[in-house]
Amino acid sequence: MSGAARVLLVTGGGRGIGAAICRLAAKAGYRVAVNYVSNEAAAAALVREIEAEGGKAFAVKGDVGSEADVLAMFAAVDARFGRLDALVNNAGVVDARARVDEMSAARLERMMRINVIGSMLCAREAVKRMSTLHGGTGGAIVNVSSAAAQLGSAGEYVDYAASKGAIDTFTIGLAREVATEGVRVSAVRPGIIDTEIHASGGQPDRIAAIRGLVPMKREGKAEEVAEAVLWLLSDKASYATGAILNVSGGR
Ligand code: NAP
């Protein structure tokens, strides 16, 4: 890395997998923009932690499902750091366990707006800043998909699984679209990872309930996903684009 330290924006960076990515990225020398939507305290505490260890970070509020918020968030990163080298589309939500024949249109719209449109809006803004076509110097995007994209999540949340299937297809298409413009686009598919997302979907005991289905017979840690993301972002992955890496204990 030459010149100023690279700048990374992590959506939903204040907690869970996103926070692990921010921590690891700061240790690797990135300046980190930590996006959050409601938990300001968690994002602020993470920024303090990174700064205490000599890193550079700032917290930026915004709902990735709102175009106005996405534009304001990228403008805030421009103002703070003056460049953008990497984006991790990590922000994502689940919903309560339900069958498709029980799902309201409002639920489906929220799921797709945050998980799919949010990631696409953020990728659009990142490409405008990083692509050589737009005068940028290149960069990398990693989308956080899910093992659910391949499993389908029948009886649990097929809408969530389908939103992650869309992320997989988006990853391949955007990767090919910008492949000659210095921008690599990849994804990770985490399996069952120990974060608060399961409780947020009304299933605090979900990990214990499905641990036995994982070939490795254990849940993953957010840090194990972060390692894969940091590799995909790095120059060590210079020939990897459109790549989708399962980080799921074999599931
Ligand atoms: P988490 O612990 O629930 O954290 C979710 C993060 O996303 C929070 O930082 C939250 O912000 C943020 N967020 C939610 N909605 C947002 C919005 N509209 N705009 C901006 N930020 C928003 O979740 P996690 O388990 O770390 O999941 C992170 C990603 O990994 C998600 O895309 C998820 O689908 C994926 N994933 C997780 C697992 C797993 O088992 N944990 C497995 C496969 C894939 P606040 O802090 O402000 O609330």
Side-chain angles (χ1 to χ4, degrees), residues 142-228:
V142 175
N143 297 317
V144 180
S145 174
S146 171
Q150 294 183 302
L151 297 169
S153 304
E156 190 173 34
Y157 30 57
V158 170
D159 54 344
Y160 171 79
S163 77
K164 296 301 189 176
I167 289 299
D168 286 2
T169 305
F170 177 59
T171 299
I172 295 165
L174 181 62
R176 292 177 180 174
E177 194 165 289
V178 298
T180 59
E181 300 168 22
V183 181
R184 292 181 303 100
V185 185
S186 301
V188 291
R189 285 195 203 104
I192 178 105
I193 308 298
D194 186 10
T195 73
E196 294 165 347
I197 200 170
H198 314 291
S200 77
Q203 300 187 66
D205 303 326
R206 183 167 180 264
I207 290 178
I210 67 174
R211 183 183 284 136
L213 301 175
V214 181
M216 281 189 182
K217 302 294 178 203
R218 70 167 178 90
E219 66 273 34
K221 296 188 214 115
E223 293 72 22
E224 293 178 290
V225 180
E227 290 284 356

Side-chain angles (χ1 to χ4, degrees), residues 65-185:
S66 153
E67 184 175 28
D69 280 17
V70 168
L71 292 175
M73 175 170 72
F74 277 82
V77 177
D78 294 341
R80 179 67 173 238
F81 291 139
R83 59 184 285 171
L84 185 73
D85 304 278
L87 165 70
V88 179
N89 271 319
N90 166 78
V93 292
V94 294
D95 210 320
R97 195 182 173 93
R99 287 170 47 98
V100 172
D101 53 19
E102 299 167 328
M103 291 178 188
S104 68
R107 167 182 169 136
L108 296 174
E109 279 172 14
R110 169 182 173 266
M111 185 70 68
M112 298 302 158
R113 184 171 47 76
I114 296 174
N115 290 7
V116 182
I117 298 176
S119 295
M120 295 175 83
L121 289 172
C122 290
R124 180 190 76 189
E125 293 308 305
V127 166
K128 281 187 191 168
R129 287 158 175 80
M130 302 189 307
S131 163
T132 54
L133 188 72
H134 296 289
T137 56
I141 297 172
V142 175
N143 297 317
V144 180
S145 174
S146 171
Q150 294 183 302
L151 297 169
S153 304
E156 190 173 34
Y157 30 57
V158 170
D159 54 344
Y160 171 79
S163 77
K164 296 301 189 176
I167 289 299
D168 286 2
T169 305
F170 177 59
T171 299
I172 295 165
L174 181 62
R176 292 177 180 174
E177 194 165 289
V178 298
T180 59
E181 300 168 22
V183 181
R184 292 181 303 100
V185 185

